[in-house]
Amino acid sequence: MKRKTLTRKRKEHIAACLFILPSFLGIAVFYIVPYIICFTKSLYVGDTFVGIENYIQLFKNNTFLLALKNTGIFTVTAIPLLMVISFLIALFLNSFNKISSFFRSALLIPVVVPIASLICVWQLVFDDYGAINGLLNLLGFSTVEFFNSEWSMVMIVFIYVWKYCGFCVILFTAGIANVSQSLYESARLDGAKAHQLVTKITIPMIAPTTFFVFLMELIYSFKIFREVFALFGDYPNTNVYFLQNFINNNYYNLNYPRLSAASIVLSLFIIIVLFIFFCFERKHSYS
């Protein structure tokens, strides 16, 4: 009897491994192996092994430090701003008993619209003679050079928040809807105020949703390079020169050791941020 049970379990394990195998091979071929190759190239200059010298030279490079600073500023600014705005909108929408399917679809429109179409719109909006500057001039203010000043970062943050806000709202709305109403009713009977319901019940109970939203938005934040490249070209101004621009330019310059080292640093940056947020989520979430 035990042998039959072991045989059945072994067959189930083999079947499970066979189902997982195609996905694992895809991850290995397109992610794990290239990452190992990239890390190996970052330790060489040509055929000469130099160890961490490429990383030392990378952190002495002023262009890389500028890109690292801008990437950090954008990540620290855009993601929390997006999550707060999305959460507040989701709270507002949750006050309605039912949200129409049309409204849910409308929230996702910015995500699915092609980048090329959006770039044309943003150029018309933020150009020196565009809609925003036209309104500012009408009100008596001077023209703002969004494409060649410190306002460039503000513009990119605005575009990022506008594009992914609807997607985050949908996720937060689903998370809030899954919170048991009995918790709110018990808290109201104990005299809890509206803000206490949010801070003491809603936010802790949707911690897994918040972590998932953060994970997705961190990934999407590194895709903002498409918009930056389309709006500013290969070499944007110093306010919006990101790590992706640095990596892209080194690729065109065929500087593979520096390119590989910068890519490893970028991946470690993402891993560290995710690890910190994961620890925070585990500590503050309810079981």
Side-chain angles (χ1 to χ4, degrees), residues 69-81 218 221 269 273:
K69 183 191 76 171
N70 289 337
T71 303
I73 291 173
F74 176 80
T75 303
V76 170
T77 304
I79 295 180
L81 182 63
L218 182 64
S221 70
F269 174 76
V273 172

Side-chain angles (χ1 to χ4, degrees), residues 72-269:
I73 291 173
F74 176 80
T75 303
V76 170
T77 304
I79 295 180
L81 182 63
L82 172 60
M83 294 183 70
V84 170
I85 293 174
S86 303
F87 177 70
L88 293 176
I89 295 175
L91 279 179
F92 172 73
L93 295 178
N94 193 58
S95 62
F96 297 95
N97 293 327
K98 186 178 180 180
I99 303 175
S100 66
S101 58
F102 170 79
F103 190 76
R104 292 180 185 274
S105 301
L107 289 172
L108 295 175
I109 287 176
V111 181
V112 299
V113 173
I115 296 296
S117 303
L118 291 177
I119 293 305
C120 294
V121 174
W122 296 128
Q123 287 176 336
L124 291 173
V125 172
F126 291 106
D127 189 71
D128 291 351
Y129 301 97
I132 292 180
N133 277 312
L135 180 61
L136 291 175
N137 294 334
L138 187 64
L139 296 174
F141 296 98
S142 58
T143 299
V144 177
E145 296 182 354
F146 286 102
F147 291 92
N148 195 28
S149 69
E150 64 275 5
W151 287 96
S152 299
M153 179 65 78
V154 177
M155 178 181 68
I156 295 301
V157 170
F158 174 81
I159 291 174
Y160 172 78
V161 172
W162 175 87
K163 182 172 182 180
Y164 295 108
C165 184
F167 176 71
C168 293
V169 169
I170 295 295
L171 295 177
F172 275 127
T173 303
I176 294 172
N178 287 328
V179 179
S180 176
Q181 292 299 314
S182 61
L183 295 174
Y184 294 113
E185 293 170 1
S186 299
R188 290 191 186 97
L189 290 175
D190 292 334
K193 303 291 181 61
H195 70 277
Q196 292 176 323
L197 294 177
V198 174
T199 57
K200 301 298 183 180
I201 297 178
T202 305
I203 293 178
M205 292 301 294
I206 66 167
T209 302
T210 304
F211 177 73
F212 178 73
V213 171
F214 176 82
L215 173 63
M216 296 303 298
E217 294 317 309
L218 182 64
I219 295 172
Y220 287 140
S221 70
F222 289 99
K223 293 184 178 181
I224 198 66
F225 167 72
R226 297 176 299 179
E227 285 79 358
V228 175
F229 182 80
L231 286 169
F232 296 93
D234 290 330
Y235 295 93
N237 68 67
T238 55
N239 298 287
V240 288
Y241 188 82
F242 296 130
L243 278 175
Q244 296 93 325
N245 296 101
F246 181 82
I247 293 171
N248 185 66
N249 293 335
N250 277 279
Y251 170 77
Y252 284 124
N253 295 332
L254 303 179
N255 194 336
Y256 294 126
R258 184 186 293 174
L259 163 67
S260 301
S263 300
I264 296 298
V265 170
L266 178 60
S267 66
L268 290 177
F269 174 76

Side-chain angles (χ1 to χ4, degrees), residues 33-99:
V33 173
Y35 191 87
I36 294 172
I37 294 173
C38 180
F39 177 72
T40 303
K41 285 185 175 293
S42 70
L43 303 176
Y44 284 82
V45 174
D47 295 328
T48 305
F49 179 79
V50 295
I52 62 172
E53 183 63 27
N54 286 325
Y55 294 93
I56 296 173
Q57 294 301 321
L58 188 67
F59 281 96
K60 291 181 179 179
N61 187 291
N62 292 329
T63 306
F64 172 78
L65 294 177
L66 173 67
L68 187 64
K69 183 191 76 171
N70 289 337
T71 303
I73 291 173
F74 176 80
T75 303
V76 170
T77 304
I79 295 180
L81 182 63
L82 172 60
M83 294 183 70
V84 170
I85 293 174
S86 303
F87 177 70
L88 293 176
I89 295 175
L91 279 179
F92 172 73
L93 295 178
N94 193 58
S95 62
F96 297 95
N97 293 327
K98 186 178 180 180
I99 303 175

